[in-house]
Amino acid sequence: MEVLSSRVLLRPRDLARSRHFYAETLGLAVYREFGPADHPGTVFFLGQGFLELSGHADGEAGSAMSLWLQVRDVAREEERLRGAGVTMLREARLEPWGLTELWIADPDGHRIVLVQVPPDHPLRRDPR
């Protein structure tokens, strides 16, 4: 299989609330919008991938799905997101595998893992 593009799709219970969370609270940039102007689907840039919010979910958020987002400074994001009233699932901490992780939730309860790769970690590709 040759994958040319990919994205994570979320079907939120309240599309406008989730759009606000991902665009304004997290600060993700919009790649494109589609559908009706009063209820558009939105695709956000997500590092080297995309996150699409569209449609509507009737049930509870699944616990098996998480977003993993690498950031430059987890502590700074934790402080900013706490100030914005974001639900904290677990405070930032250094994991045994050497990454610093902060767990938060989106408005529907989907887990988002914010990850900082320390300078000496083998995953480090950007030496800044």
Side-chain angles (χ1 to χ4, degrees):
M1 170 182 7
E2 180 182 11
V3 178
L4 300 178
S5 179
S6 66
R7 65 180 61 170
V8 174
L9 290 104
L10 290 182
R11 303 289 188 238
R13 289 186 296 232
D14 182 331
L15 184 60
R17 179 184 67 175
S18 290
R19 277 178 47 100
H20 178 81
F21 176 81
Y22 285 97
E24 304 302 325
T25 305
L26 289 188
L28 298 183
V30 174
Y31 170 62
R32 72 181 199 96
E33 295 179 321
F34 60 92
D38 62 334
H39 200 70
T42 306
V43 179
F44 294 96
F45 284 105
L46 200 60
Q48 295 179 17
F50 299 99
L51 169 66
E52 177 181 319
L53 298 178
S54 61
H56 176 79
D58 293 322
E60 295 296 315
S63 61
M65 200 280 305
S66 298
L67 295 178
W68 190 95
L69 308 176
Q70 182 180 348
V71 299
R72 292 199 186 276
D73 188 337
V74 164
R76 184 178 66 215
E77 293 300 332
E78 181 174 19
E79 182 179 338
R80 183 180 72 80
L81 295 171
R82 278 187 193 280
V86 171
T87 300
M88 299 285 149
L89 299 177
R90 201 192 71 189
E91 66 186 20
R93 67 178 177 219
L94 183 62
E95 297 291 352
W97 46 90
L99 301 175
T100 302
E101 295 186 2
L102 166 68
W103 296 2
I104 63 172
D106 81 355
D108 285 326
H110 296 107
R111 182 173 54 187
I112 301 171
V113 182
L114 299 182
V115 178
Q116 181 177 340
V117 180
D120 60 344
H121 195 278
L123 286 178
R124 178 60 78 172
R125 300 271 192 267
D126 182 354
R128 288 182 279 177

